[in-house]
Each structure stands twice: as structure tokens, then as C-alpha cells.
Tab-separated table of all heavy atoms in Angstrom:
chain	number	residue	atom	x	y	z
A	1	MET	N	22.658	-1.792	-5.670
A	1	MET	CA	21.601	-2.394	-6.472
A	1	MET	C	20.687	-1.311	-7.043
A	1	MET	O	20.236	-0.426	-6.338
A	1	MET	CB	20.802	-3.348	-5.585
A	1	MET	CG	19.869	-4.239	-6.390
A	1	MET	SD	18.951	-5.339	-5.285
A	1	MET	CE	17.276	-4.859	-5.711
A	2	LYS	N	20.403	-1.444	-8.341
A	2	LYS	CA	19.532	-0.461	-8.968
A	2	LYS	C	18.097	-0.958	-9.035
A	2	LYS	O	17.841	-2.143	-9.167
A	2	LYS	CB	20.020	-0.176	-10.387
A	2	LYS	CG	21.238	0.723	-10.412
A	2	LYS	CD	21.233	1.565	-11.675
A	2	LYS	CE	22.313	2.637	-11.574
A	2	LYS	NZ	22.205	3.618	-12.631
A	3	TYR	N	17.198	-0.042	-8.959
A	3	TYR	CA	15.800	-0.416	-9.135
A	3	TYR	C	15.067	0.731	-9.784
A	3	TYR	O	15.559	1.847	-9.859
A	3	TYR	CB	15.163	-0.801	-7.813
A	3	TYR	CG	14.927	0.367	-6.883
A	3	TYR	CD1	13.690	0.992	-6.834
A	3	TYR	CD2	15.932	0.820	-6.043
A	3	TYR	CE1	13.477	2.061	-5.986
A	3	TYR	CE2	15.735	1.889	-5.198
A	3	TYR	CZ	14.502	2.502	-5.174
A	3	TYR	OH	14.300	3.552	-4.336
A	4	LYS	N	13.862	0.460	-10.226
A	4	LYS	CA	13.093	1.460	-10.931
A	4	LYS	C	11.927	1.918	-10.072
A	4	LYS	O	11.132	1.107	-9.607
A	4	LYS	CB	12.574	0.853	-12.232
A	4	LYS	CG	12.235	1.873	-13.280
A	4	LYS	CD	11.873	1.157	-14.561
A	4	LYS	CE	11.682	2.140	-15.692
A	4	LYS	NZ	11.221	1.463	-16.918
A	5	CYS	N	11.833	3.204	-9.884
A	5	CYS	CA	10.714	3.747	-9.120
A	5	CYS	C	9.425	3.553	-9.907
A	5	CYS	O	9.350	3.886	-11.086
A	5	CYS	CB	10.948	5.226	-8.832
A	5	CYS	SG	9.531	6.034	-8.079
A	6	GLN	N	8.406	3.016	-9.266
A	6	GLN	CA	7.145	2.727	-9.949
A	6	GLN	C	6.294	3.971	-10.159
A	6	GLN	O	5.281	3.929	-10.829
A	6	GLN	CB	6.334	1.704	-9.138
A	6	GLN	CG	7.037	0.366	-9.010
A	6	GLN	CD	7.193	-0.318	-10.357
A	6	GLN	OE1	6.238	-0.402	-11.123
A	6	GLN	NE2	8.391	-0.780	-10.651
A	7	ILE	N	6.696	5.075	-9.589
A	7	ILE	CA	5.924	6.300	-9.749
A	7	ILE	C	6.507	7.190	-10.835
A	7	ILE	O	5.816	7.638	-11.732
A	7	ILE	CB	5.834	7.054	-8.410
A	7	ILE	CG1	4.977	6.232	-7.433
A	7	ILE	CG2	5.217	8.439	-8.624
A	7	ILE	CD1	4.869	6.855	-6.057
A	8	CYS	N	7.810	7.415	-10.788
A	8	CYS	CA	8.410	8.331	-11.761
A	8	CYS	C	9.238	7.608	-12.823
A	8	CYS	O	9.755	8.226	-13.748
A	8	CYS	CB	9.249	9.385	-11.051
A	8	CYS	SG	10.654	8.694	-10.165
A	9	ASN	N	9.366	6.280	-12.667
A	9	ASN	CA	10.084	5.462	-13.665
A	9	ASN	C	11.567	5.768	-13.796
A	9	ASN	O	12.198	5.387	-14.774
A	9	ASN	CB	9.433	5.593	-15.042
A	9	ASN	CG	8.147	4.803	-15.105
A	9	ASN	OD1	8.026	3.750	-14.481
A	9	ASN	ND2	7.185	5.315	-15.836
A	10	ARG	N	12.133	6.436	-12.811
A	10	ARG	CA	13.560	6.686	-12.866
A	10	ARG	C	14.309	5.509	-12.256
A	10	ARG	O	13.777	4.801	-11.406
A	10	ARG	CB	13.913	7.968	-12.104
A	10	ARG	CG	13.551	9.223	-12.873
A	10	ARG	CD	13.848	10.431	-12.030
A	10	ARG	NE	13.367	10.228	-10.648
A	10	ARG	CZ	13.943	10.751	-9.597
A	10	ARG	NH1	14.998	11.497	-9.714
A	10	ARG	NH2	13.449	10.536	-8.398
A	11	GLU	N	15.544	5.368	-12.672
A	11	GLU	CA	16.387	4.340	-12.076
A	11	GLU	C	17.039	4.929	-10.845
A	11	GLU	O	17.642	6.003	-10.888
A	11	GLU	CB	17.440	3.883	-13.074
A	11	GLU	CG	16.841	3.142	-14.236
A	11	GLU	CD	17.447	1.757	-14.392
A	11	GLU	OE1	18.672	1.639	-14.278
A	11	GLU	OE2	16.689	0.813	-14.631
A	12	ILE	N	16.928	4.220	-9.758
A	12	ILE	CA	17.435	4.724	-8.490
A	12	ILE	C	18.517	3.794	-7.959
A	12	ILE	O	18.428	2.576	-8.118
A	12	ILE	CB	16.296	4.796	-7.456
A	12	ILE	CG1	15.016	5.337	-8.076
A	12	ILE	CG2	16.705	5.647	-6.274
A	12	ILE	CD1	15.085	6.751	-8.540
A	13	ASP	N	19.496	4.372	-7.325
A	13	ASP	CA	20.585	3.567	-6.793
A	13	ASP	C	20.313	3.048	-5.393
A	13	ASP	O	20.458	1.886	-5.101
A	13	ASP	CB	21.879	4.375	-6.761
A	13	ASP	CG	22.569	4.338	-8.101
A	13	ASP	OD1	22.594	3.253	-8.703
A	13	ASP	OD2	23.061	5.379	-8.544
A	14	ASP	N	19.901	3.939	-4.552
A	14	ASP	CA	19.665	3.511	-3.176
A	14	ASP	C	18.210	3.124	-2.979
A	14	ASP	O	17.309	3.652	-3.617
A	14	ASP	CB	20.046	4.617	-2.190
A	14	ASP	CG	19.177	5.839	-2.382
A	14	ASP	OD1	18.854	6.154	-3.533
A	14	ASP	OD2	18.815	6.470	-1.377
A	15	PHE	N	17.977	2.183	-2.136
A	15	PHE	CA	16.631	1.679	-1.944
A	15	PHE	C	15.886	2.508	-0.899
A	15	PHE	O	16.384	2.765	0.177
A	15	PHE	CB	16.688	0.212	-1.512
A	15	PHE	CG	15.361	-0.463	-1.598
A	15	PHE	CD1	14.863	-0.856	-2.825
A	15	PHE	CD2	14.620	-0.679	-0.467
A	15	PHE	CE1	13.633	-1.473	-2.910
A	15	PHE	CE2	13.381	-1.294	-0.552
A	15	PHE	CZ	12.897	-1.699	-1.775
A	16	ALA	N	14.676	2.898	-1.257
A	16	ALA	CA	13.876	3.705	-0.337
A	16	ALA	C	13.374	2.862	0.823
A	16	ALA	O	13.118	1.677	0.676
A	16	ALA	CB	12.693	4.303	-1.072
A	17	SER	N	13.232	3.483	1.944
A	17	SER	CA	12.752	2.761	3.111
A	17	SER	C	11.233	2.704	3.107
A	17	SER	O	10.559	3.570	3.624
A	17	SER	CB	13.242	3.436	4.380
A	17	SER	OG	12.912	4.807	4.342
A	18	LEU	N	10.727	1.644	2.490
A	18	LEU	CA	9.280	1.521	2.359
A	18	LEU	C	8.597	1.252	3.693
A	18	LEU	O	7.409	1.489	3.834
A	18	LEU	CB	8.939	0.411	1.361
A	18	LEU	CG	8.994	0.872	-0.089
A	18	LEU	CD1	8.667	-0.287	-1.021
A	18	LEU	CD2	7.996	1.982	-0.335
A	19	ALA	N	9.342	0.757	4.641
A	19	ALA	CA	8.760	0.531	5.962
A	19	ALA	C	8.210	1.843	6.497
A	19	ALA	O	7.247	1.872	7.237
A	19	ALA	CB	9.804	-0.022	6.907
A	20	HIS	N	8.835	2.918	6.078
A	20	HIS	CA	8.383	4.243	6.467
A	20	HIS	C	6.978	4.542	5.964
A	20	HIS	O	6.133	4.999	6.695
A	20	HIS	CB	9.321	5.297	5.877
A	20	HIS	CG	10.296	5.823	6.862
A	20	HIS	ND1	11.167	5.013	7.540
A	20	HIS	CD2	10.542	7.077	7.303
A	20	HIS	CE1	11.895	5.751	8.354
A	20	HIS	NE2	11.547	7.008	8.229
A	21	ILE	N	6.772	4.280	4.677
A	21	ILE	CA	5.493	4.613	4.064
A	21	ILE	C	4.356	3.803	4.646
A	21	ILE	O	3.260	4.300	4.826
A	21	ILE	CB	5.513	4.348	2.546
A	21	ILE	CG1	6.771	4.897	1.927
A	21	ILE	CG2	4.287	4.976	1.881
A	21	ILE	CD1	6.797	4.714	0.435
A	22	LYS	N	4.644	2.560	4.924
A	22	LYS	CA	3.581	1.658	5.351
A	22	LYS	C	2.854	2.138	6.594
A	22	LYS	O	1.725	1.753	6.840
A	22	LYS	CB	4.146	0.257	5.591
A	22	LYS	CG	4.346	-0.472	4.283
A	22	LYS	CD	4.926	-1.859	4.498
A	22	LYS	CE	5.179	-2.526	3.149
A	22	LYS	NZ	5.886	-3.798	3.289
A	23	THR	N	3.527	2.958	7.369
A	23	THR	CA	2.879	3.446	8.572
A	23	THR	C	2.040	4.687	8.295
A	23	THR	O	1.311	5.152	9.153
A	23	THR	CB	3.927	3.799	9.648
A	23	THR	OG1	4.763	4.832	9.132
A	23	THR	CG2	4.746	2.579	10.006
A	24	GLU	N	2.164	5.191	7.079
A	24	GLU	CA	1.448	6.417	6.750
A	24	GLU	C	0.340	6.158	5.736
A	24	GLU	O	0.508	6.340	4.546
A	24	GLU	CB	2.435	7.455	6.220
A	24	GLU	CG	3.468	7.823	7.267
A	24	GLU	CD	4.535	8.746	6.698
A	24	GLU	OE1	4.163	9.788	6.147
A	24	GLU	OE2	5.715	8.402	6.788
A	25	GLU	N	-0.785	5.723	6.246
A	25	GLU	CA	-1.902	5.342	5.392
A	25	GLU	C	-2.359	6.466	4.474
A	25	GLU	O	-2.727	6.242	3.321
A	25	GLU	CB	-3.088	4.891	6.264
A	25	GLU	CG	-2.956	3.474	6.768
A	25	GLU	CD	-2.869	2.451	5.630
A	25	GLU	OE1	-3.615	2.627	4.649
A	25	GLU	OE2	-2.066	1.521	5.722
A	26	TYR	N	-2.356	7.656	4.973
A	26	TYR	CA	-2.818	8.780	4.183
A	26	TYR	C	-1.916	9.003	2.978
A	26	TYR	O	-2.362	9.310	1.883
A	26	TYR	CB	-2.872	10.046	5.054
A	26	TYR	CG	-3.653	11.161	4.412
A	26	TYR	CD1	-4.959	10.930	3.964
A	26	TYR	CD2	-3.113	12.431	4.262
A	26	TYR	CE1	-5.683	11.947	3.370
A	26	TYR	CE2	-3.830	13.452	3.671
A	26	TYR	CZ	-5.114	13.209	3.227
A	26	TYR	OH	-5.820	14.217	2.627
A	27	LEU	N	-0.629	8.821	3.230
A	27	LEU	CA	0.355	8.954	2.169
A	27	LEU	C	0.129	7.889	1.096
A	27	LEU	O	0.133	8.174	-0.103
A	27	LEU	CB	1.745	8.818	2.775
A	27	LEU	CG	2.956	9.194	1.936
A	27	LEU	CD1	2.924	10.649	1.534
A	27	LEU	CD2	4.224	8.914	2.724
A	28	LEU	N	-0.134	6.680	1.537
A	28	LEU	CA	-0.397	5.587	0.600
A	28	LEU	C	-1.605	5.895	-0.265
A	28	LEU	O	-1.623	5.646	-1.461
A	28	LEU	CB	-0.650	4.287	1.373
A	28	LEU	CG	0.526	3.701	2.142
A	28	LEU	CD1	0.069	2.474	2.919
A	28	LEU	CD2	1.650	3.326	1.207
A	29	GLU	N	-2.633	6.433	0.371
A	29	GLU	CA	-3.859	6.733	-0.356
A	29	GLU	C	-3.646	7.791	-1.425
A	29	GLU	O	-4.186	7.711	-2.522
A	29	GLU	CB	-4.938	7.193	0.616
A	29	GLU	CG	-5.993	6.143	0.828
A	29	GLU	CD	-6.913	6.489	1.966
A	29	GLU	OE1	-7.501	7.591	1.924
A	29	GLU	OE2	-7.026	5.675	2.893
A	30	LEU	N	-2.874	8.786	-1.093
A	30	LEU	CA	-2.584	9.849	-2.058
A	30	LEU	C	-1.855	9.305	-3.274
A	30	LEU	O	-2.182	9.632	-4.415
A	30	LEU	CB	-1.710	10.925	-1.405
A	30	LEU	CG	-2.380	11.919	-0.488
A	30	LEU	CD1	-1.361	12.940	-0.026
A	30	LEU	CD2	-3.520	12.620	-1.201
A	31	ILE	N	-0.871	8.474	-3.030
A	31	ILE	CA	-0.106	7.908	-4.139
A	31	ILE	C	-1.013	7.021	-4.980
A	31	ILE	O	-0.995	7.083	-6.205
A	31	ILE	CB	1.107	7.111	-3.622
A	31	ILE	CG1	2.043	8.033	-2.832
A	31	ILE	CG2	1.853	6.467	-4.793
A	31	ILE	CD1	3.228	7.318	-2.196
A	32	ARG	N	-1.828	6.231	-4.348
A	32	ARG	CA	-2.720	5.337	-5.083
A	32	ARG	C	-3.728	6.119	-5.910
A	32	ARG	O	-4.154	5.683	-6.971
A	32	ARG	CB	-3.471	4.415	-4.113
A	32	ARG	CG	-2.627	3.269	-3.640
A	32	ARG	CD	-3.489	2.123	-3.138
A	32	ARG	NE	-2.752	1.331	-2.160
A	32	ARG	CZ	-2.966	1.429	-0.850
A	32	ARG	NH1	-3.866	2.243	-0.373
A	32	ARG	NH2	-2.254	0.700	-0.036
A	33	ARG	N	-4.111	7.264	-5.439
A	33	ARG	CA	-5.086	8.065	-6.171
A	33	ARG	C	-4.486	8.542	-7.494
A	33	ARG	O	-5.147	8.571	-8.521
A	33	ARG	CB	-5.510	9.270	-5.321
A	33	ARG	CG	-6.867	9.830	-5.721
A	33	ARG	CD	-7.218	11.011	-4.863
A	33	ARG	NE	-6.251	12.095	-5.022
A	33	ARG	CZ	-6.316	13.257	-4.379
A	33	ARG	NH1	-7.280	13.472	-3.528
A	33	ARG	NH2	-5.416	14.180	-4.576
A	34	ASP	N	-3.220	8.953	-7.434
A	34	ASP	CA	-2.547	9.420	-8.645
A	34	ASP	C	-2.030	8.273	-9.491
A	34	ASP	O	-1.879	8.396	-10.702
A	34	ASP	CB	-1.368	10.326	-8.270
A	34	ASP	CG	-1.829	11.668	-7.731
A	34	ASP	OD1	-3.044	11.957	-7.857
A	34	ASP	OD2	-1.008	12.406	-7.201
A	35	HIS	N	-1.732	7.171	-8.835
A	35	HIS	CA	-1.154	6.016	-9.542
A	35	HIS	C	-1.871	4.752	-9.106
A	35	HIS	O	-1.374	4.015	-8.258
A	35	HIS	CB	0.344	5.903	-9.237
A	35	HIS	CG	1.108	7.163	-9.528
A	35	HIS	ND1	1.623	7.444	-10.764
A	35	HIS	CD2	1.388	8.237	-8.749
A	35	HIS	CE1	2.223	8.631	-10.726
A	35	HIS	NE2	2.086	9.130	-9.514
A	36	PRO	N	-3.037	4.521	-9.701
A	36	PRO	CA	-3.909	3.404	-9.282
A	36	PRO	C	-3.229	2.043	-9.328
A	36	PRO	O	-3.607	1.141	-8.587
A	36	PRO	CB	-5.057	3.453	-10.295
A	36	PRO	CG	-5.053	4.843	-10.814
A	36	PRO	CD	-3.618	5.279	-10.812
A	37	GLU	N	-2.270	1.874	-10.212
A	37	GLU	CA	-1.629	0.564	-10.345
A	37	GLU	C	-0.489	0.390	-9.346
A	37	GLU	O	0.073	-0.678	-9.211
A	37	GLU	CB	-1.116	0.347	-11.767
A	37	GLU	CG	0.110	1.179	-12.154
A	37	GLU	CD	-0.198	2.671	-12.246
A	37	GLU	OE1	-1.367	3.011	-12.522
A	37	GLU	OE2	0.705	3.493	-12.044
A	38	TRP	N	-0.172	1.444	-8.649
A	38	TRP	CA	0.911	1.386	-7.675
A	38	TRP	C	0.486	0.582	-6.456
A	38	TRP	O	-0.673	0.555	-6.068
A	38	TRP	CB	1.298	2.804	-7.274
A	38	TRP	CG	2.448	2.857	-6.313
A	38	TRP	CD1	3.761	2.806	-6.628
A	38	TRP	CD2	2.372	2.986	-4.893
A	38	TRP	NE1	4.516	2.890	-5.473
A	38	TRP	CE2	3.692	2.998	-4.417
A	38	TRP	CE3	1.319	3.078	-3.994
A	38	TRP	CZ2	3.976	3.105	-3.053
A	38	TRP	CZ3	1.593	3.181	-2.640
A	38	TRP	CH2	2.925	3.194	-2.182
A	39	HIS	N	1.471	-0.062	-5.857
A	39	HIS	CA	1.202	-0.787	-4.618
A	39	HIS	C	2.337	-0.514	-3.646
A	39	HIS	O	3.467	-0.305	-4.072
A	39	HIS	CB	1.091	-2.283	-4.892
A	39	HIS	CG	0.655	-3.060	-3.687
A	39	HIS	ND1	1.553	-3.623	-2.821
A	39	HIS	CD2	-0.577	-3.332	-3.202
A	39	HIS	CE1	0.877	-4.229	-1.850
A	39	HIS	NE2	-0.411	-4.067	-2.053
A	40	GLU	N	2.034	-0.531	-2.395
A	40	GLU	CA	3.045	-0.181	-1.392
A	40	GLU	C	4.257	-1.107	-1.413
A	40	GLU	O	5.328	-0.751	-0.949
A	40	GLU	CB	2.437	-0.157	0.005
A	40	GLU	CG	1.895	-1.501	0.451
A	40	GLU	CD	0.928	-1.325	1.615
A	40	GLU	OE1	-0.220	-0.963	1.358
A	40	GLU	OE2	1.335	-1.521	2.762
A	41	SER	N	4.065	-2.301	-1.951
A	41	SER	CA	5.192	-3.234	-2.025
A	41	SER	C	6.082	-2.946	-3.229
A	41	SER	O	7.145	-3.525	-3.377
A	41	SER	CB	4.683	-4.673	-2.090
A	41	SER	OG	4.011	-4.892	-3.307
A	42	LYS	N	5.615	-2.052	-4.100
A	42	LYS	CA	6.428	-1.712	-5.259
A	42	LYS	C	7.481	-0.688	-4.899
A	42	LYS	O	7.346	0.055	-3.930
A	42	LYS	CB	5.535	-1.159	-6.383
A	42	LYS	CG	4.700	-2.250	-7.015
A	42	LYS	CD	4.120	-1.769	-8.324
A	42	LYS	CE	3.395	-2.916	-9.017
A	42	LYS	NZ	2.790	-2.477	-10.280
A	43	GLN	N	8.506	-0.653	-5.723
A	43	GLN	CA	9.624	0.221	-5.413
A	43	GLN	C	9.294	1.681	-5.670
A	43	GLN	O	8.733	2.047	-6.691
A	43	GLN	CB	10.832	-0.209	-6.231
A	43	GLN	CG	11.375	-1.534	-5.730
A	43	GLN	CD	11.838	-2.419	-6.848
A	43	GLN	OE1	11.386	-2.289	-7.965
A	43	GLN	NE2	12.749	-3.316	-6.538
A	44	THR	N	9.669	2.481	-4.737
A	44	THR	CA	9.371	3.905	-4.801
A	44	THR	C	10.583	4.682	-4.305
A	44	THR	O	11.189	4.304	-3.316
A	44	THR	CB	8.162	4.235	-3.898
A	44	THR	OG1	7.128	3.305	-4.170
A	44	THR	CG2	7.666	5.639	-4.166
A	45	CYS	N	10.908	5.751	-4.993
A	45	CYS	CA	12.097	6.492	-4.587
A	45	CYS	C	11.770	7.527	-3.507
A	45	CYS	O	10.615	7.915	-3.322
A	45	CYS	CB	12.741	7.172	-5.790
A	45	CYS	SG	11.803	8.539	-6.484
A	46	HIS	N	12.794	7.979	-2.847
A	46	HIS	CA	12.625	8.965	-1.778
A	46	HIS	C	11.972	10.241	-2.289
A	46	HIS	O	11.190	10.874	-1.607
A	46	HIS	CB	13.981	9.311	-1.167
A	46	HIS	CG	14.466	8.280	-0.211
A	46	HIS	ND1	13.801	7.995	0.957
A	46	HIS	CD2	15.522	7.446	-0.254
A	46	HIS	CE1	14.445	7.037	1.596
A	46	HIS	NE2	15.488	6.681	0.879
A	47	LYS	N	12.342	10.600	-3.503
A	47	LYS	CA	11.853	11.843	-4.057
A	47	LYS	C	10.327	11.858	-4.155
A	47	LYS	O	9.669	12.835	-3.815
A	47	LYS	CB	12.469	12.059	-5.440
A	47	LYS	CG	12.791	13.493	-5.693
A	47	LYS	CD	13.727	13.642	-6.879
A	47	LYS	CE	14.230	15.074	-6.922
A	47	LYS	NZ	15.265	15.274	-7.916
A	48	CYS	N	9.772	10.754	-4.631
A	48	CYS	CA	8.319	10.663	-4.759
A	48	CYS	C	7.647	10.634	-3.401
A	48	CYS	O	6.641	11.299	-3.183
A	48	CYS	CB	7.948	9.410	-5.558
A	48	CYS	SG	8.388	9.558	-7.293
A	49	VAL	N	8.219	9.874	-2.502
A	49	VAL	CA	7.658	9.814	-1.156
A	49	VAL	C	7.689	11.187	-0.503
A	49	VAL	O	6.706	11.644	0.071
A	49	VAL	CB	8.425	8.801	-0.285
A	49	VAL	CG1	7.952	8.879	1.169
A	49	VAL	CG2	8.236	7.405	-0.836
A	50	ASP	N	8.804	11.865	-0.639
A	50	ASP	CA	8.940	13.198	-0.066
A	50	ASP	C	7.968	14.181	-0.687
A	50	ASP	O	7.447	15.071	-0.028
A	50	ASP	CB	10.373	13.718	-0.248
A	50	ASP	CG	11.334	13.033	0.699
A	50	ASP	OD1	10.858	12.368	1.644
A	50	ASP	OD2	12.543	13.157	0.494
A	51	TYR	N	7.729	14.001	-1.973
A	51	TYR	CA	6.805	14.882	-2.672
A	51	TYR	C	5.404	14.795	-2.068
A	51	TYR	O	4.780	15.807	-1.763
A	51	TYR	CB	6.766	14.505	-4.159
A	51	TYR	CG	5.668	15.172	-4.929
A	51	TYR	CD1	5.759	16.521	-5.283
A	51	TYR	CD2	4.536	14.465	-5.293
A	51	TYR	CE1	4.747	17.135	-5.982
A	51	TYR	CE2	3.506	15.080	-6.003
A	51	TYR	CZ	3.612	16.405	-6.344
A	51	TYR	OH	2.600	17.014	-7.032
A	52	TYR	N	4.947	13.578	-1.871
A	52	TYR	CA	3.605	13.410	-1.309
A	52	TYR	C	3.557	13.817	0.154
A	52	TYR	O	2.566	14.350	0.640
A	52	TYR	CB	3.149	11.963	-1.476
A	52	TYR	CG	2.694	11.695	-2.892
A	52	TYR	CD1	3.524	11.081	-3.811
A	52	TYR	CD2	1.429	12.110	-3.319
A	52	TYR	CE1	3.127	10.863	-5.118
A	52	TYR	CE2	1.019	11.909	-4.623
A	52	TYR	CZ	1.867	11.285	-5.518
A	52	TYR	OH	1.474	11.095	-6.805
A	53	ARG	N	4.645	13.547	0.843
A	53	ARG	CA	4.715	13.928	2.249
A	53	ARG	C	4.621	15.456	2.392
A	53	ARG	O	3.978	15.982	3.281
A	53	ARG	CB	6.028	13.413	2.830
A	53	ARG	CG	6.019	13.343	4.325
A	53	ARG	CD	7.220	12.586	4.819
A	53	ARG	NE	6.974	11.140	4.892
A	53	ARG	CZ	7.916	10.221	4.762
A	53	ARG	NH1	9.139	10.582	4.537
A	53	ARG	NH2	7.621	8.961	4.851
A	54	GLN	N	5.278	16.132	1.444
A	54	GLN	CA	5.274	17.589	1.465
A	54	GLN	C	3.874	18.139	1.171
A	54	GLN	O	3.434	19.116	1.758
A	54	GLN	CB	6.276	18.110	0.419
A	54	GLN	CG	6.567	19.597	0.541
A	54	GLN	CD	7.245	19.943	1.870
A	54	GLN	OE1	8.172	19.258	2.286
A	54	GLN	NE2	6.770	20.973	2.537
A	55	LEU	N	3.178	17.486	0.246
A	55	LEU	CA	1.810	17.910	-0.081
A	55	LEU	C	0.934	17.871	1.157
A	55	LEU	O	0.154	18.786	1.425
A	55	LEU	CB	1.214	16.990	-1.151
A	55	LEU	CG	1.668	17.163	-2.594
A	55	LEU	CD1	0.869	16.222	-3.490
A	55	LEU	CD2	1.483	18.597	-3.060
A	56	ILE	N	1.067	16.801	1.912
A	56	ILE	CA	0.271	16.661	3.136
A	56	ILE	C	0.660	17.734	4.151
A	56	ILE	O	-0.176	18.391	4.759
A	56	ILE	CB	0.478	15.266	3.746
A	56	ILE	CG1	-0.075	14.203	2.792
A	56	ILE	CG2	-0.194	15.160	5.101
A	56	ILE	CD1	0.265	12.785	3.193
A	57	LYS	N	1.961	17.917	4.265
A	57	LYS	CA	2.479	18.889	5.222
A	57	LYS	C	1.998	20.302	4.907
A	57	LYS	O	1.670	21.085	5.794
A	57	LYS	CB	4.005	18.832	5.177
A	57	LYS	CG	4.665	19.172	6.499
A	57	LYS	CD	6.154	18.839	6.433
A	57	LYS	CE	6.962	19.949	7.065
A	57	LYS	NZ	8.397	19.805	6.731
A	58	ASP	N	1.982	20.627	3.615
A	58	ASP	CA	1.560	21.951	3.206
A	58	ASP	C	0.039	22.106	3.257
A	58	ASP	O	-0.492	23.181	3.003
A	58	ASP	CB	2.039	22.244	1.777
A	58	ASP	CG	3.557	22.385	1.719
A	58	ASP	OD1	4.189	22.503	2.782
A	58	ASP	OD2	4.101	22.390	0.610
A	59	GLY	N	-0.639	21.011	3.523
A	59	GLY	CA	-2.081	21.064	3.613
A	59	GLY	C	-2.773	21.349	2.304
A	59	GLY	O	-3.870	21.891	2.252
A	60	GLU	N	-2.122	20.942	1.211
A	60	GLU	CA	-2.716	21.212	-0.101
A	60	GLU	C	-3.752	20.172	-0.487
A	60	GLU	O	-4.471	20.342	-1.454
A	60	GLU	CB	-1.607	21.241	-1.172
A	60	GLU	CG	-0.805	22.524	-1.119
A	60	GLU	CD	0.300	22.529	-2.164
A	60	GLU	OE1	0.180	21.813	-3.156
A	60	GLU	OE2	1.269	23.274	-1.970
A	61	ILE	N	-3.796	19.099	0.286
A	61	ILE	CA	-4.775	18.058	-0.043
A	61	ILE	C	-5.637	17.803	1.183
A	61	ILE	O	-5.111	17.753	2.293
A	61	ILE	CB	-4.071	16.755	-0.473
A	61	ILE	CG1	-3.375	17.016	-1.800
A	61	ILE	CG2	-5.066	15.626	-0.589
A	61	ILE	CD1	-2.570	15.845	-2.310
B	1	ZN	ZN1	10.102	8.226	-7.977
């Protein structure tokens, strides 16, 4: 099943595990800051999630 990532607008084949994000409030906040219209229930690809996760890990925010 294909879906569209709400952050980067790419078409993705595999579905991201959003259950993962929901436990990471800080991650959600970062995404919402950059994408105010985004919601955790919207489809998001692994790449975007990993990107924000990496930002936190690197301590850049
Ligand atoms: Zn994406």
C-alpha cells in the first residue's frame, strides 16, 4: 500500500511505525514546530522520523 508522507510529500511504499513516534513527545514537538499542520496521526515516512530523531541525538536542538 502506498501513502504520502505529510512532511516531505514523497510517496512511500512501506508504512512507518507511528506507534514509535507517539511515545516520543519531544520528537512530536520538533516536527510540529517545523510543520504546524502536521499531526501525529498523519502519515510520516521513516526518513523524516529518523531525521528528527538524529537532530535530538546530535543535540542540535
Ligand atoms: Zn517524509
Side-chain angles (χ1 to χ4, degrees):
M1 192 180 122
K2 283 211 170 190
Y3 72 96
K4 202 174 187 185
C5 173
Q6 297 295 312
I7 292 178
C8 63
N9 285 326
R10 284 177 315 149
E11 292 236 317
I12 318 295
D13 276 318
D14 63 322
F15 193 77
S17 52
L18 277 179
H20 259 57
I21 314 183
K22 281 179 183 173
T23 61
E24 298 174 54
E25 280 300 319
Y26 194 53
L27 192 61
L28 293 176
E29 253 170 55
L30 282 184
I31 299 176
R32 281 201 206 103
R33 203 181 62 180
D34 289 349
H35 306 273
E37 72 292 333
W38 182 83
H39 187 267
E40 62 198 79
S41 67
K42 288 195 175 179
Q43 290 142 336
T44 312
C45 70
H46 281 296
K47 217 165 191 172
C48 290
V49 173
D50 286 347
Y51 169 75
Y52 282 99
R53 199 169 272 152
Q54 192 64 45
L55 284 184
I56 295 171
K57 210 170 137 193
D58 292 347
E60 284 179 24
I61 293 177

